[in-house]
Amino acid sequence: MTEPTPPPVVEQMGARLHPLTPFVKGWGYFVVAAVALVNNEGLRSNLEVAGIGLAGVLVGGILLGALSWWFTKWQLTDEAIRVDSGFLFRRTRIIRFDRIQAIDVAQPFVARLFGMAELRMDVAGGGKSDGKLSYFKYADAGQLRTILLVRAKGEQVAEQQDQEQQHEAPPLLVVPTNRLLGATLLSSTVLGSAAALIWLIVATMVFEFHVGLFAGLPLLLGVVQPIWKQVVGNHGFTLSQTDHGLRTKRGLFDVQRQTIPPGRVQGLLITEPLIWRLLGWSRVELDIAGVAGSKEDGESENEGAQLLPVGERGEVAAVLARVLPGFNLDAIDLQRAPERVKWLRPIGWRYLAYGADEQVFVTTNGWISRRTSIVLHHKTQSVRLTQGPIQRRLNLADVHIDTPQGPTNAVALHRSAEEAAWLTQAQADQARQARQAIESTRPDQS
């Protein structure tokens, strides 16, 4: 039986992206300009000026996009893929094959209309935007993905991942759209913005308190943006198990897939807003090496990879056990903060706690929005004790378990100074022992 012939590896020297890339990337700016011109009363009365302005925006956008496209080139070398971009300020990205963890072919909505796609590479130590390369013809993107996987992982792994992409594994769970919508509508951001928007409408119509349209726009965005991001962005959220780790799939218009390789999870964050807790719902995010905490458009710097946008308690326990085999959050004995902390946090002091087992360190805080941070011992980067002036008067201190930037922020808040000193040393020792245990189980590379 003959071995399958791998795809030809062709060195592309200075290749450009698809010529329609500027339009696919910049169509939104043209729509915003058109809406702004239409909403301007002076321009509505002078359609000739409005047309000239809109044409100017269109021509200017095309020229700027064409310049960006012309000066953007990519090429494969023996050890990396190199991307040169920028016509005023030159930028060079060199993505080494051995740093690539996973590669997906994605088709945002507009790109899908033109049969185009982009490559999304998870790069260890890099940001989300650093691993993006767009746009190609869909077939070309798939071929380049195969070439990169062969270079990065070898032919066998590349073939397995191609088969996984063509034949998706059966889902472990699917988040219903009605739960996504309900959780978004019951979030503090949407409830607060909606209440303020209703007050603004009532004040304008009943009390003739005119504050203008612009005062209502931020409130309207506070309602619309979370719904769009959570309901549309997480539509059809599916979690499945593959040979290379957990895999998520989500999105209505922009279908996104992400692989969570075992061993790269550095921490987890469970968030339970007040109303969600009454319904038994929570959200789970991950710190992943090279992914979590890296900023993308519209995201916070501390936003991580989503493991579960909203799930019931049983679902949360099941996915936690997938990421951390043998882990049971309910079995961890949490140590509450001393009662004198109520002078600093009259209500929230009851919800400050920490605990640990042989695998992780756990902290909880917050009574309006409960946050449970989980840090793996062997992923701890440093342990430090801090103490403010008021804390010194109350003989209190904080213990920080530092991890790479991301949503997880494990801090044992307001412990007694003696307990904090003991905990700092104990956690440092635990982290060191955990790293030594992990190193001893790795195969000898000599």
Side-chain angles (χ1 to χ4, degrees):
M1 183 175 178
T2 60
E3 293 290 332
T5 304
V9 178
V10 181
E11 297 290 341
Q12 299 284 345
M13 302 300 296
R16 290 191 175 88
L17 301 168
H18 196 285
L20 290 180
T21 294
F23 174 77
V24 176
K25 285 186 174 182
W27 68 272
Y29 298 105
F30 176 74
V31 173
V32 171
V35 172
L37 290 173
V38 170
N39 288 332
N40 188 295
E41 185 175 353
L43 291 175
R44 283 203 307 267
S45 61
N46 192 335
L47 295 180
E48 183 179 351
V49 175
I52 294 175
L54 195 58
V57 171
L58 179 60
V59 172
I62 291 175
L63 290 176
L64 289 176
L67 282 174
S68 175
W69 169 80
W70 182 262
F71 285 97
T72 300
K73 298 180 181 180
W74 65 272
Q75 60 180 324
L76 295 178
T77 66
D78 292 338
E79 298 181 347
I81 177 172
R82 170 175 173 158
V83 182
D84 297 301
S85 60
F87 62 95
L88 288 180
F89 300 95
R90 299 294 293 167
R91 182 191 181 199
T92 298
R93 284 180 289 158
I94 299 178
I95 304 173
R96 292 177 55 89
F97 299 135
D98 58 3
R99 305 295 290 174
I100 296 176
Q101 305 293 334
I103 310 173
D104 291 316
V105 176
Q107 282 189 291
F109 179 67
V110 178
R112 197 183 313 165
L113 297 177
F114 293 93
M116 297 163 59
E118 70 177 2
L119 285 182
R120 294 178 179 175
M121 296 173 277
D122 284 351
V123 183
K128 293 180 183 178
S129 59
D130 291 337
K132 283 188 176 181
L133 191 57
S134 53
Y135 288 94
F136 302 90
K137 290 182 180 180
Y138 182 78
D140 294 341
Q143 183 181 15
L144 181 57
R145 175 183 181 271
T146 301
I147 293 174
L148 291 175
L149 281 175
V150 170
R151 296 285 190 92
K153 304 291 185 179
E155 294 182 14
Q156 184 176 0
V157 174
E159 184 177 352
Q160 290 177 353
Q161 293 196 13
D162 280 339
Q163 292 177 353
E164 287 177 1
Q165 191 174 47
Q166 296 171 5
H167 309 284
E168 294 187 354
L172 297 173
L173 64 86
V174 178
V175 179
T177 302
N178 58 354
R179 189 196 299 170
L180 281 172
L181 179 59
T184 305
L185 294 177
L186 294 176
S187 65
S188 58
T189 301
V190 173
L191 289 176
S193 299
L197 188 60
I198 292 172
W199 175 88
L200 183 63
I201 294 173
V202 172
T204 302
M205 299 180 64
V206 178
F207 302 106
E208 297 183 358
F209 179 64
H210 299 286
V211 294
L213 175 63
F214 288 103
L217 286 178
L219 300 177
L220 184 61
L221 287 175
V223 175
V224 175
Q225 186 180 25
I227 294 176
W228 178 268
K229 182 177 180 181
Q230 295 297 328
V231 179
V232 177
N234 288 319
H235 175 78
F237 187 97
T238 303
L239 183 69
S240 56
Q241 181 73 56
T242 71
D243 293 337
H244 304 281
L246 291 172
R247 187 170 177 83
T248 63
K249 176 185 176 182
R250 61 187 176 93
L252 179 60
F253 299 119
D254 182 4
V255 179
Q256 300 186 36
R257 295 176 176 84
Q258 184 173 20
T259 303
I260 305 169
R264 291 183 61 207
V265 175
Q266 301 177 127
L268 302 95
L269 174 65
I270 303 173
T271 306
E272 302 171 275
L274 179 60
I275 300 179
W276 286 23
R277 288 206 302 275
L278 300 177
L279 299 172
W281 292 348
S282 54
R283 177 174 64 249
V284 184
E285 297 174 88
L286 299 176
D287 281 354
I288 303 178
V291 178
S294 49
K295 189 175 180 181
E296 194 172 332
D297 293 342
E299 294 185 351
S300 165
E301 291 182 355
N302 291 327
E303 188 168 357
Q306 288 195 83
L307 181 62
L308 190 60
V310 53
E312 299 175 343
R313 291 190 175 95
E315 294 172 338
V316 171
V319 297
L320 289 179
R322 290 276 179 176
V323 177
L324 304 174
F327 175 69
N328 182 5
L329 182 59
D330 294 334
I332 294 182
D333 183 22
L334 295 177
Q335 306 297 319
R336 305 293 174 182
E339 188 174 354
R340 63 180 179 276
V341 175
K342 65 184 178 182
W343 294 104
L344 295 175
R345 295 197 177 189
I347 299 177
W349 73 274
R350 298 177 182 274
Y351 305 96
L352 301 178
Y354 80 89
D357 63 8
E358 296 181 354
Q359 191 175 14
V360 300
F361 184 89
V362 178
T363 65
T364 64
N365 68 82
W367 65 280
I368 295 179
S369 182
R370 185 79 49 79
R371 293 168 61 90
T372 302
S373 295
I374 304 172
V375 175
L376 283 75
H377 289 311
H378 68 281
K379 296 294 186 179
T380 300
Q381 293 192 330
S382 64
V383 184
R384 55 193 172 91
L385 184 150
T386 61
Q387 189 178 47
I390 299 179
Q391 287 180 312
R392 285 197 294 272
R393 295 292 301 270
L394 296 174
N395 193 36
L396 299 172
D398 299 335
V399 178
H400 299 254
I401 312 300
D402 294 326
T403 57
Q405 187 181 41
T408 305
N409 184 27
V411 184
L413 292 168
H414 305 308
R415 316 307 305 184
S416 68
E418 297 79 12
E419 181 185 14
W422 169 84
L423 179 59
T424 302
Q425 185 60 50
Q427 181 57 27
D429 293 340
Q430 180 72 49
R432 183 176 60 254
Q433 293 171 7
R435 285 193 295 270
Q436 291 174 349
I438 292 294
E439 291 293 335
S440 64
T441 59
R442 291 177 178 173
D444 188 3
Q445 301 297 324
S446 60

